[in-house]
Amino acid sequence: MANGYTHDTLIIGAGAAGLMAAIFAGRNAQPPNQVAVVDGAKHIGAKILVSGGGRCNVTHDVVTPDDFAGSKRNQIAKVLKTFKADDTVDFFADLGVDLKRENTGKLFPTTDRARTVLDALLLAVDKANATILNEHRVTAVSRRDDGFVVRTQQGDLHTRKLILATGGKSLPKTGSDGLGYGFAISLGHSLTKTTPALVPLVLSDGHWLTRLSGLTTDVELAVASSTGKITRRQAGSLLLTHFGLSGPAAMDISRHWIAAHNIDPGTKLLINFLPGRTFEQIEAELVALTESHGGAGITSLLYDYVQRRLAHTLVADGADVDPTTPMAQLNKPQRRAVVKALTALPVPIVRDRGYLFAEVTAGGVPLSEINLSTMASRKCPGLYLCGELLDVDGRIGGYNFQWAWASGRLAGMSAAIG
Ligand SMILES: Cc1cc2nc3c(=O)[nH]c(=O)nc-3n(C[C@H](O)[C@H](O)[C@H](O)COP(=O)(O)OP(=O)(O)OC[C@H]3O[C@@H](n4cnc5c(N)ncnc54)[C@H](O)[C@@H]3O)c2cc1C
């Protein structure tokens, strides 16, 4: 190319956002402008392949800014409205991938195979005349004249426009190890604190709840400050494991517990095993049961409320009450301890499981540093950013991919025509 450029638009990172950027940069580029996407991985798309349990939860039928955290809702909304969930459905249908809606609202390919999604994206990149350069790990980027030098294991590349789509730090073995944050910083950006998100939570060693490993139950989790103020609630399914808490409810609340705990180490996580019911309601019911079924053991009375194994353990370990005690013999503090174990059990979270087990990264480059009509950097001309690298993380349900599709498309299109 003229002026010593090897490319007109170069994208670093061939994940969901980078592949989308490559497709839309390629489709919108004026020939002979060259578009390429470089990635350190030998095999492209590892994270797409493991997503959604190998089925790839491509998007959700309803996507709103409230499904995300990190940057401000109105900033996130600006990008989401450029490419909605329906647009994702149409886009994939055009690529020959039909999506089906499950009763949770999650959308998956009808084949139930993430490979279908990845193969379609790779073919679309090719059809858009964009090139994928795998095994091109980038080690540094710098500005040169009105373009960029991208240093890779295979030598330097020179590009007029640069799109950073390097993802976050979750599942680092897929190639997303956080190096891209350094590129953004070296080009003038800042970074909000990054932490694992959608990550299981670890209970103190040998905690009695871990003996219920494998048990799944609907709960409402709450993050409470050291003064007792509830700052976040999350309803959903909880999976108890040998180390602590997993399943959608725990994963969804994890980033909120981590953020609160970083500021206030006295932050607690409370479990309500009777979602939608309050301490007062359950206490009133147990008082009534004392009158009608006073001779029955407390644990057996709870079988109508929670699973048997759980009832036994909540009474014995959560409330420290002999589980065979007849209802009528419970004194008031004991009855209230049982009600508390059922509706507001504080659990000692000692840490999260870290990036190895996190599905996304919270934090990143703030959207305030991005022109949200184009995904262009406000700090560095010619630079565009998209995907998980930015300070946006969604809850479980296809929202993170929707963010990647929307922001990647906008970045690719804008870089090509900008
Ligand atoms: C186990 C798991 C399951 C998930 N399931 C779902 C799901 O079903 N639905 C959903 O919406 N979300 C899901 N997610 C989240 C979703 O996968 C991510 O949010 C999304 O893939 C982010 O896309 P991205 O392109 O921004 O980043 P990434 O997918 O992380 O891609 C970044 C790419 O950049 C490359 N790269 C990084 N640094 C360099 C460098 N220095 N040089 C060259 N290349 C580099 C990496 O190799 C990688 O290919 C899941 C995540 C995990 C870990």
Side-chain angles (χ1 to χ4, degrees):
M1 283 185 70
N3 300 326
Y5 290 114
T6 53
H7 297 88
D8 185 70
T9 301
L10 194 73
I11 301 143
I12 308 180
L19 291 174
M20 197 69 171
I23 293 165
F24 281 88
R27 287 181 182 179
N28 288 280
Q30 295 298 319
N33 285 349
Q34 297 216 16
V35 176
V37 50
V38 295
D39 201 293
K42 185 170 180 184
H43 302 290
I44 300 297
K47 202 176 273 185
I48 293 175
L49 288 180
V50 298
S51 69
R55 296 197 300 138
C56 188
N57 176 195
V58 176
T59 187
H60 198 278
D61 68 343
V62 182
V63 178
T64 74
D66 291 338
D67 297 311
F68 296 84
S71 298
K72 292 190 180 127
R73 302 290 182 277
N74 64 328
Q75 296 172 326
I76 297 170
K78 271 191 185 165
V79 178
L80 291 176
K81 76 174 186 208
T82 66
F83 196 72
K84 300 186 171 150
D86 286 349
D87 298 318
T88 299
V89 172
D90 292 345
F91 167 77
F92 278 102
D94 282 348
L95 301 190
V97 180
D98 290 329
L99 303 181
K100 59 172 176 179
R101 179 193 181 281
E102 299 203 335
N103 55 15
T104 53
K106 296 178 181 179
L107 270 70
F108 292 88
T110 51
T111 57
D112 278 328
R113 291 180 71 231
R115 168 61 68 186
T116 315
V117 174
L118 177 60
D119 285 349
L121 289 168
L122 295 177
L123 190 63
V125 172
D126 193 46
K127 279 193 179 160
N129 290 320
T131 314
I132 297 177
L133 302 171
N134 60 341
E135 294 190 275
H136 273 66
R137 180 146 176 88
V138 176
T139 53
V141 296
S142 55
R143 286 281 293 162
R144 193 199 72 169
D145 306 328
D146 59 346
F148 300 86
V149 179
V150 174
R151 178 141 297 166
T152 81
Q153 292 164 317
Q154 320 282 354
D156 287 357
L157 301 169
H158 302 260
T159 182
R160 208 188 302 267
K161 307 278 178 51
L162 179 66
I163 302 179
L164 287 183
T166 44
K169 299 192 218 176
S170 55
L171 211 64
K173 67 179 179 198
T174 58
S176 314
D177 57 4
L179 200 62
Y181 293 126
F183 305 155
I185 290 169
S186 73
L187 295 171
H189 282 281
S190 68
L191 209 60
T192 61
K193 185 175 172 57
T194 52
T195 69
L198 299 186
V199 64
L201 298 170
V202 180
L203 286 168
S204 57
D205 207 18
H207 189 273
W208 50 268
L209 274 178
T210 62
R211 292 203 300 272
L212 297 177
S213 180
L215 185 140
T216 302
T217 184
D218 283 341
V219 296
E220 184 181 85
L221 299 179
V223 174
S225 72
S226 51
T227 60
K229 184 168 183 263
I230 303 290
T231 56
R232 184 88 194 179
R233 288 183 199 276
Q234 180 68 55
S237 174
L238 176 73
L239 169 66
L240 298 174
T241 73
H242 64 284
F243 60 79
L245 311 182
S246 190
M251 305 273 277
D252 273 335
I253 211 161
S254 59
R255 61 106 58 225
H256 301 285
W257 183 84
I258 294 166
H261 189 259
N262 281 340
I263 298 168
D264 172 6
T267 296
K268 293 185 198 68
L269 189 73
L270 308 176
I271 307 178
N272 182 350
F273 290 97
L274 304 172
R277 316 286 307 276
T278 64
F279 181 98
E280 290 72 22
Q281 286 169 341
I282 301 303
E283 187 177 32
E285 288 181 23
L286 289 196
V287 169
L289 280 172
T290 308
E291 283 161 23
S292 58
H293 295 75
I298 169 65
T299 307
S300 56
L301 285 178
L302 296 189
Y303 292 166
D304 284 344
Y305 290 81
V306 291
Q307 295 170 44
R308 286 177 173 230
R309 277 169 79 202
L310 184 57
H312 190 277
T313 309
L314 283 178
V315 173
D317 300 292
D320 201 17
V321 168
D322 179 346
T324 61
T325 314
M327 193 65 207
Q329 285 179 26
L330 283 188
N331 60 32
K332 189 173 174 186
Q334 284 176 319
R335 190 180 63 230
R336 291 178 71 92
V338 170
V339 178
K340 189 170 179 207
L342 282 166
T343 59
L345 178 75
V347 285
I349 303 298
V350 290
R351 61 181 173 85
D352 62 77
R353 277 200 111 193
Y355 289 110
L356 280 183
F357 295 92
E359 290 202 1
V360 284
T361 306
V365 176
L367 290 190
S368 55
E369 296 181 0
I370 308 292
N371 176 339
L372 298 171
S373 307
T374 59
M375 301 314 288
S377 162
R378 291 185 189 279
K379 300 287 178 185
C380 176
L383 177 68
Y384 298 76
L385 300 92
C386 56
E388 200 179 310
L389 170 73
L390 296 165
D391 182 9
V392 178
D393 56 291
R395 58 191 188 90
I396 283 184
Y399 304 99
N400 287 296
F401 275 140
Q402 186 60 34
W403 174 254
W405 312 135
S407 61
R409 170 186 168 273
L410 194 51
M413 216 161 56
S414 311
I417 62 180

PDB file of all heavy atoms in Angstrom, residues 293-306:
ATOM      1  N   HIS A 293     -49.491 -27.420  64.363  1.00  0.00           N
ATOM      2  CA  HIS A 293     -48.682 -28.649  64.259  1.00  0.00           C
ATOM      3  C   HIS A 293     -47.547 -28.628  65.291  1.00  0.00           C
ATOM      4  O   HIS A 293     -46.412 -28.985  64.971  1.00  0.00           O
ATOM      5  CB  HIS A 293     -48.055 -28.763  62.867  1.00  0.00           C
ATOM      6  CG  HIS A 293     -49.022 -28.931  61.753  1.00  0.00           C
ATOM      7  ND1 HIS A 293     -49.803 -27.907  61.271  1.00  0.00           N
ATOM      8  CD2 HIS A 293     -49.362 -30.042  61.036  1.00  0.00           C
ATOM      9  CE1 HIS A 293     -50.558 -28.352  60.285  1.00  0.00           C
ATOM     10  NE2 HIS A 293     -50.316 -29.651  60.130  1.00  0.00           N
ATOM     11  N   GLY A 294     -47.872 -28.211  66.492  1.00  0.00           N
ATOM     12  CA  GLY A 294     -46.831 -28.026  67.518  1.00  0.00           C
ATOM     13  C   GLY A 294     -46.011 -29.264  67.801  1.00  0.00           C
ATOM     14  O   GLY A 294     -44.838 -29.171  68.183  1.00  0.00           O
ATOM     15  N   GLY A 295     -46.590 -30.461  67.593  1.00  0.00           N
ATOM     16  CA  GLY A 295     -45.857 -31.683  67.913  1.00  0.00           C
ATOM     17  C   GLY A 295     -44.903 -32.119  66.820  1.00  0.00           C
ATOM     18  O   GLY A 295     -44.029 -32.971  67.034  1.00  0.00           O
ATOM     19  N   ALA A 296     -45.043 -31.540  65.638  1.00  0.00           N
ATOM     20  CA  ALA A 296     -44.197 -31.972  64.508  1.00  0.00           C
ATOM     21  C   ALA A 296     -42.791 -31.385  64.654  1.00  0.00           C
ATOM     22  O   ALA A 296     -42.606 -30.282  65.186  1.00  0.00           O
ATOM     23  CB  ALA A 296     -44.821 -31.508  63.197  1.00  0.00           C
ATOM     24  N   GLY A 297     -41.796 -32.140  64.163  1.00  0.00           N
ATOM     25  CA  GLY A 297     -40.419 -31.641  64.216  1.00  0.00           C
ATOM     26  C   GLY A 297     -40.262 -30.447  63.284  1.00  0.00           C
ATOM     27  O   GLY A 297     -40.869 -30.408  62.209  1.00  0.00           O
ATOM     28  N   ILE A 298     -39.428 -29.518  63.703  1.00  0.00           N
ATOM     29  CA  ILE A 298     -39.239 -28.298  62.910  1.00  0.00           C
ATOM     30  C   ILE A 298     -38.771 -28.611  61.496  1.00  0.00           C
ATOM     31  O   ILE A 298     -39.264 -28.047  60.515  1.00  0.00           O
ATOM     32  CB  ILE A 298     -38.260 -27.310  63.620  1.00  0.00           C
ATOM     33  CG1 ILE A 298     -37.842 -26.164  62.691  1.00  0.00           C
ATOM     34  CG2 ILE A 298     -37.010 -27.970  64.162  1.00  0.00           C
ATOM     35  CD1 ILE A 298     -38.941 -25.251  62.284  1.00  0.00           C
ATOM     36  N   THR A 299     -37.834 -29.568  61.379  1.00  0.00           N
ATOM     37  CA  THR A 299     -37.276 -29.836  60.048  1.00  0.00           C
ATOM     38  C   THR A 299     -38.347 -30.348  59.088  1.00  0.00           C
ATOM     39  O   THR A 299     -38.446 -29.879  57.955  1.00  0.00           O
ATOM     40  CB  THR A 299     -36.129 -30.859  60.136  1.00  0.00           C
ATOM     41  OG1 THR A 299     -35.209 -30.384  61.103  1.00  0.00           O
ATOM     42  CG2 THR A 299     -35.424 -31.008  58.810  1.00  0.00           C
ATOM     43  N   SER A 300     -39.175 -31.296  59.568  1.00  0.00           N
ATOM     44  CA  SER A 300     -40.172 -31.865  58.651  1.00  0.00           C
ATOM     45  C   SER A 300     -41.185 -30.801  58.228  1.00  0.00           C
ATOM     46  O   SER A 300     -41.692 -30.832  57.107  1.00  0.00           O
ATOM     47  CB  SER A 300     -40.867 -33.072  59.281  1.00  0.00           C
ATOM     48  OG  SER A 300     -41.435 -32.703  60.513  1.00  0.00           O
ATOM     49  N   LEU A 301     -41.440 -29.825  59.093  1.00  0.00           N
ATOM     50  CA  LEU A 301     -42.367 -28.759  58.695  1.00  0.00           C
ATOM     51  C   LEU A 301     -41.783 -27.903  57.565  1.00  0.00           C
ATOM     52  O   LEU A 301     -42.510 -27.321  56.767  1.00  0.00           O
ATOM     53  CB  LEU A 301     -42.703 -27.866  59.896  1.00  0.00           C
ATOM     54  CG  LEU A 301     -43.669 -28.488  60.907  1.00  0.00           C
ATOM     55  CD1 LEU A 301     -43.906 -27.551  62.074  1.00  0.00           C
ATOM     56  CD2 LEU A 301     -45.008 -28.823  60.246  1.00  0.00           C
ATOM     57  N   LEU A 302     -40.449 -27.859  57.515  1.00  0.00           N
ATOM     58  CA  LEU A 302     -39.808 -27.026  56.477  1.00  0.00           C
ATOM     59  C   LEU A 302     -39.759 -27.726  55.116  1.00  0.00           C
ATOM     60  O   LEU A 302     -39.383 -27.106  54.117  1.00  0.00           O
ATOM     61  CB  LEU A 302     -38.395 -26.632  56.902  1.00  0.00           C
ATOM     62  CG  LEU A 302     -38.301 -25.735  58.141  1.00  0.00           C
ATOM     63  CD1 LEU A 302     -36.875 -25.235  58.317  1.00  0.00           C
ATOM     64  CD2 LEU A 302     -39.256 -24.547  58.054  1.00  0.00           C
ATOM     65  N   TYR A 303     -40.140 -29.016  55.080  1.00  0.00           N
ATOM     66  CA  TYR A 303     -40.117 -29.718  53.791  1.00  0.00           C
ATOM     67  C   TYR A 303     -41.065 -29.070  52.781  1.00  0.00           C
ATOM     68  O   TYR A 303     -40.891 -29.235  51.578  1.00  0.00           O
ATOM     69  CB  TYR A 303     -40.492 -31.194  53.964  1.00  0.00           C
ATOM     70  CG  TYR A 303     -39.480 -32.023  54.731  1.00  0.00           C
ATOM     71  CD1 TYR A 303     -39.816 -33.285  55.220  1.00  0.00           C
ATOM     72  CD2 TYR A 303     -38.189 -31.546  54.961  1.00  0.00           C
ATOM     73  CE1 TYR A 303     -38.897 -34.062  55.923  1.00  0.00           C
ATOM     74  CE2 TYR A 303     -37.276 -32.315  55.676  1.00  0.00           C
ATOM     75  CZ  TYR A 303     -37.637 -33.563  56.159  1.00  0.00           C
ATOM     76  OH  TYR A 303     -36.733 -34.317  56.848  1.00  0.00           O
ATOM     77  N   ASP A 304     -42.087 -28.363  53.290  1.00  0.00           N
ATOM     78  CA  ASP A 304     -42.988 -27.661  52.368  1.00  0.00           C
ATOM     79  C   ASP A 304     -42.348 -26.398  51.806  1.00  0.00           C
ATOM     80  O   ASP A 304     -42.875 -25.769  50.898  1.00  0.00           O
ATOM     81  CB  ASP A 304     -44.279 -27.247  53.093  1.00  0.00           C
ATOM     82  CG  ASP A 304     -45.193 -28.448  53.298  1.00  0.00           C
ATOM     83  OD1 ASP A 304     -44.966 -29.474  52.628  1.00  0.00           O
ATOM     84  OD2 ASP A 304     -46.103 -28.345  54.131  1.00  0.00           O
ATOM     85  N   TYR A 305     -41.221 -25.989  52.392  1.00  0.00           N
ATOM     86  CA  TYR A 305     -40.587 -24.726  51.994  1.00  0.00           C
ATOM     87  C   TYR A 305     -39.348 -24.941  51.117  1.00  0.00           C
ATOM     88  O   TYR A 305     -39.155 -24.238  50.141  1.00  0.00           O
ATOM     89  CB  TYR A 305     -40.167 -23.932  53.242  1.00  0.00           C
ATOM     90  CG  TYR A 305     -41.336 -23.368  54.027  1.00  0.00           C
ATOM     91  CD1 TYR A 305     -42.054 -24.151  54.926  1.00  0.00           C
ATOM     92  CD2 TYR A 305     -41.711 -22.043  53.859  1.00  0.00           C
ATOM     93  CE1 TYR A 305     -43.110 -23.631  55.641  1.00  0.00           C
ATOM     94  CE2 TYR A 305     -42.777 -21.507  54.576  1.00  0.00           C
ATOM     95  CZ  TYR A 305     -43.472 -22.301  55.458  1.00  0.00           C
ATOM     96  OH  TYR A 305     -44.528 -21.776  56.151  1.00  0.00           O
ATOM     97  N   VAL A 306     -38.484 -25.870  51.547  1.00  0.00           N
ATOM     98  CA  VAL A 306     -37.214 -26.092  50.821  1.00  0.00           C
ATOM     99  C   VAL A 306     -36.957 -27.598  50.713  1.00  0.00           C
ATOM    100  O   VAL A 306     -37.612 -28.402  51.386  1.00  0.00           O
ATOM    101  CB  VAL A 306     -36.012 -25.422  51.546  1.00  0.00           C
ATOM    102  CG1 VAL A 306     -36.095 -23.901  51.485  1.00  0.00           C
ATOM    103  CG2 VAL A 306     -35.889 -25.903  52.982  1.00  0.00           C
TER     104      VAL A 306
END
